[in-house]
């Protein structure tokens, strides 16, 4: 059974700090790894990673995938209170849209 | 472009009843997936519909069913509700090709008393 494990489960940081969120996975037929941000209800898409070692960036957020070691990290630099959310990691290995999610990392950024 | 919409947003039911949730995907999207989110289990995949056919299915009992209409709108039905069915039900739409990005709706919060 496919499995996605995220760590830490929760994190409290001060504004301006840099955080690294971890995601490891065990899948039988890896296709892509996904990161989402969930603030209240609807998760919003951040990144899709398919190739090892290629960093994807969007503003202060970046992510990289290591397919050999089966993990990914999400970095957030110069954190802001608006970054407070649950960050979800997921893998798409079931073909098409059958996606397995991790339980999420709850990030709280305090002023 | 309008996003994914779900109705109703909140629902309270009692054990044994059944419920139908609705999801309207982004215009042009043909795939709709349903997820159950609970604090202990996180987001769990229920099923995916593409062109009115169930294409993928998660590990949920047969009480959970769904369908998709020709306009890609989808409904999810849960029969004989149990207390453990209380959760946030999210639907997500995509174009339907492999490794497409999914866009989530705001969810329906179901409470079973």
């Amino acid at each position: 059974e496919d499995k996605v494990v995220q760590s830490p489960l929760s994190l409290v940081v001060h504004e301006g700090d840099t955080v690294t969120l971890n995601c490891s996975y065990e899948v039988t037929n890896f296709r892509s790894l996904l990161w989402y941000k969930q603030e209240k209800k609807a998760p919003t898409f951040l990144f899709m990673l398919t190739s090892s070692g290629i960093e994807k960036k969007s503003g202060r957020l970046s992510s990289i995938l290591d397919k050999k070691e089966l993990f990914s990290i999400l970095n957030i630099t110069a954190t802001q209170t608006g970054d407070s959310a649950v960050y979800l990691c997921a893998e798409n290995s079931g073909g098409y849209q059958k996606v397995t999610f991790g339980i999420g990392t709850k990030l709280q950024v305090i002023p | 472009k309008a996003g994914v919409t779900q109705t109703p947003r909140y629902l309270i039911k009692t054990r044994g009843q059944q419920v139908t949730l609705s999801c309207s995907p982004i215009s042009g999207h043909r795939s709709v997936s349903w997820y159950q989110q609970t604090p202990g289990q996180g987001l769990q995949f229920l099923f995916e519909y593409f062109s009115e056919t169930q294409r993928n299915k998660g590990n949920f009992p047969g009480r959970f069913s769904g369908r998709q209409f020709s306009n890609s709108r989808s409904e999810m039905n849960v029969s004989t509700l149990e207390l453990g069915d209380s959760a946030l039900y999210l639907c997500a739409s995509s174009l339907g090709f492999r490794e497409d990005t999914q866009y989530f709706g705001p969810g329906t919060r179901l409470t079973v008393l």
Side-chain angles (χ1 to χ4, degrees):
Chain A
E1 187 179 316
D2 293 349
K3 194 174 173 183
V4 175
V5 178
Q6 293 186 246
S7 65
L9 292 181
S10 67
L11 196 53
V12 181
V13 301
H14 287 95
E15 267 192 318
D17 286 350
T18 293
V19 298
T20 298
L21 309 183
N22 304 296
C23 175
S24 64
Y25 60 92
E26 298 172 17
V27 300
T28 53
N29 187 24
F30 177 85
R31 293 192 179 277
S32 60
L33 190 125
L34 308 160
W35 284 97
Y36 284 86
K37 177 182 181 182
Q38 186 175 27
E39 291 177 81
K40 290 186 179 171
K41 294 282 178 72
T44 53
F45 173 78
L46 293 174
F47 297 111
M48 176 187 289
L49 303 155
T50 55
S51 302
S52 260
I54 298 175
E55 185 182 52
K56 291 216 170 177
K57 292 194 77 167
S58 176
R60 296 176 294 102
L61 277 66
S62 64
S63 184
I64 198 161
L65 174 68
D66 185 328
K67 287 167 78 171
K68 185 179 174 186
E69 301 297 330
L70 307 184
F71 79 87
S72 173
I73 59 172
L74 175 69
N75 279 320
I76 309 175
T77 59
T79 51
Q80 303 170 357
T81 54
D83 296 326
S84 296
V86 174
Y87 289 84
L88 298 166
C89 174
E91 58 85 14
N92 183 346
S93 68
Y96 299 102
Q97 301 303 320
K98 186 175 182 181
V99 178
T100 301
F101 279 84
I103 204 154
T105 293
K106 184 175 182 180
L107 173 66
Q108 185 181 357
V109 182
I110 54 178
Chain B
K1 208 179 211 183
V4 179
T5 58
Q6 291 187 244
T7 56
R9 295 292 307 278
Y10 301 91
L11 208 46
I12 298 175
K13 292 284 188 179
T14 55
R15 277 181 298 176
Q17 287 188 307
Q18 76 164 23
V19 67
T20 299
L21 312 181
S22 181
C23 173
S24 292
I26 291 171
S27 178
H29 284 190
R30 294 168 64 191
S31 168
V32 174
S33 298
W34 287 90
Y35 295 85
Q36 180 194 67
Q37 188 173 32
T38 57
Q41 298 292 322
L43 263 158
Q44 291 186 287
F45 174 78
L46 281 154
F47 30 66
E48 183 224 357
Y49 284 86
F50 179 79
S51 291
E52 302 178 66
T53 302
Q54 189 181 86
R55 188 163 64 173
N56 282 299
K57 189 176 187 306
N59 298 321
F60 277 80
R63 300 185 297 108
F64 292 82
S65 62
R67 59 178 176 167
Q68 187 179 35
F69 302 95
S70 58
N71 61 358
S72 294
R73 189 178 70 85
S74 177
E75 287 182 348
M76 189 190 93
N77 186 274
V78 188
S79 62
T80 320
L81 284 166
E82 301 176 359
L83 294 178
D85 297 333
S86 294
L88 180 67
Y89 290 88
L90 291 159
C91 85
S93 78
S94 74
L95 291 169
F97 305 113
R98 289 188 188 273
E99 290 131 39
D100 257 343
T101 300
Q102 290 187 321
Y103 296 89
F104 283 84
T108 294
R109 171 72 65 185
L110 171 65
T111 302
V112 182
L113 303 175

